[in-house]
Amino acid sequence: RLERDLGKMQRSVITAGQTIEMLDLTKEKLDIIAFTRSYAKELKERVSGRYEVNFWFDEESLGQEDLDAVYVKGDPDFLTQIFDNLVANAEKHAFAEVENPRHELDISILFNFDGAKVQVDFSNTGLPFPKNLKWSNAIRKGGAFGTSAGDGTGLWLVNELMERHGGSLDFTDETGSDGIHSNLVSTFELYFPIEID
């Protein structure tokens, strides 16, 4: 795990420049459920009770399609970096007021087999996404916002890496009309094309 994290840190430094060095992106066939489940398990150990981490995937849809796994083409290190950036975003912004073990970060997987896409959602409780912030500004490089703003590369990098994986990044304000009306306030949605044999 240490060797993987050191490699990930080295690649993070490379990607923080003006351009992402796509020669370093090495895609392989990944079981997205196993990959994401493993990530959620490691995250739960890492946060050690500071907030709750939940993992869920749509087993019913898998059963209807008679599938045990769903595959995507992805670079494991860069996918981990995408996930890490979304978690850091929740920790820094949504959970910013105080450490609260009742906060939740839900990682869920949904399938659109007709459209050959898989959706990996990172949803959280806590503070909502700023109402006055346009999505186009949030994913723009240097688009830092809020009192705990960073350097403005987080969501930009996630968006760029998702595009390099043939996918996309989207957002849902769960408190709005499109929301699921639960205790969750924000969901970042990662869409990947399903790898078809």
Side-chain angles (χ1 to χ4, degrees), residues 33-140:
I33 300 169
F35 182 86
T36 308
R37 178 191 280 127
S38 175
Y39 180 87
K41 183 180 176 191
E42 285 185 22
L43 176 63
K44 195 168 195 166
E45 292 169 5
R46 193 169 71 216
V47 302
S48 118
R50 286 184 289 132
Y51 54 87
E52 188 175 338
V53 177
N54 304 304
F55 172 74
W56 173 87
F57 69 97
D58 187 359
E59 290 184 77
E60 188 177 333
S61 291
L62 275 188
Q64 289 171 355
E65 297 292 322
D66 198 25
L67 294 172
D68 295 323
V70 173
Y71 295 92
V72 300
K73 270 281 187 77
D75 182 305
D77 289 337
F78 279 124
L79 289 182
T80 300
Q81 187 172 358
I82 288 169
F83 289 5
D84 282 347
N85 278 7
L86 294 178
V87 169
N89 190 69
E91 291 175 345
K92 190 172 186 180
H93 301 290
F95 303 158
E97 71 269 24
V98 286
E99 201 170 276
N100 183 346
R102 289 178 303 197
H103 278 316
E104 294 179 34
L105 191 141
D106 290 2
I107 304 173
S108 54
I109 304 177
L110 303 164
F111 308 103
N112 175 355
F113 292 111
D114 291 335
K117 287 189 178 178
V118 60
Q119 176 181 340
V120 180
D121 288 349
F122 282 73
S123 306
N124 62 69
T125 59
L127 299 174
F129 201 71
K131 297 281 185 196
N132 59 346
L133 179 65
K134 290 183 181 176
W135 181 243
S136 58
N137 289 338
I139 59 173
R140 178 179 52 83

Side-chain angles (χ1 to χ4, degrees), residues 117 158-159 162-163 165-170 189-193:
K117 287 189 178 178
V158 170
N159 190 57
M162 285 304 298
E163 287 181 5
H165 280 85
S168 62
L169 168 68
D170 207 350
E189 302 155 355
L190 305 171
Y191 294 92
F192 298 92

